[in-house]
Amino acid sequence: MTQLEKVLYTGKTHTSSGGRDGASRSSDGRLDIKLSSPGSAGDGTNPEQLFAAGWSACFIGAMGIAAGKMKVALPPDLAVDAEVDLGVTGGAYFLQARLNVSLPGLEREVARALTDAAHQTCPYSKATRGNIDVVINLV
């Protein structure tokens, strides 16, 4: 396990006792959301959607770092569509994920090199590596 030499940021949230059917608020008040179980009629988001949003945003940042090192300009209309599945195997809950990366105008080999590099450096990718099934697709 890697020990941090320096903490750059700590995200802090408080989630109410409803859990997946509760609410969550960040310590700075910038995040204040209702939660609903996946597939329910509730009007809130769910942890899988939040994880997908965080991972896709982080992955774009990691591609930016990789592009800088490779001296490649990222297209302004790049996008990452993250899909995080909640499922069950043998009575236990698990996640799996797909990141569908759109880098219009870049040669496929360059796009693949960027996504491979980003997947090696993105903290979300590191956290999931070896723990859940992850597929990175160029779309």
Side-chain angles (χ1 to χ4, degrees):
M1 182 181 317
T2 301
Q3 294 293 317
L4 296 178
E5 293 175 5
K6 180 180 178 183
V7 174
L8 301 175
Y9 176 77
T10 301
K12 297 179 183 180
T13 62
H14 174 82
T15 302
S16 67
S17 63
R20 284 183 175 271
D21 293 307
S24 192
R25 179 177 166 84
S26 63
S27 60
D28 62 7
R30 294 171 77 180
L31 176 73
D32 190 359
I33 56 170
K34 293 179 183 178
L35 299 169
S36 299
S37 293
S40 74
D43 59 354
T45 188
N46 60 64
E48 290 72 28
Q49 290 172 330
L50 292 169
F51 187 70
W55 193 354
S56 58
C58 184
F59 199 84
I60 288 173
M63 284 194 301
I65 292 169
K69 290 179 181 177
M70 295 172 59
K71 303 204 182 320
V72 172
L74 288 176
D77 53 346
L78 73 90
V80 175
D81 293 322
E83 300 173 349
V84 176
D85 301 323
L86 172 64
V88 64
T89 298
Y93 293 100
F94 292 95
L95 298 175
Q96 66 182 19
R98 289 162 307 286
L99 299 182
N100 300 306
V101 182
S102 174
L103 293 164
L106 289 184
E107 293 181 19
R108 190 157 186 84
E109 299 78 30
V110 173
R112 178 53 63 194
L114 284 171
T115 58
D116 288 348
H119 194 47
Q120 292 304 309
T121 60
C122 173
Y124 282 75
S125 292
K126 288 178 183 179
T128 58
R129 189 169 294 115
N131 296 314
I132 68 170
D133 184 35
V134 176
V135 176
I136 310 293
N137 296 309
L138 283 174
V139 296

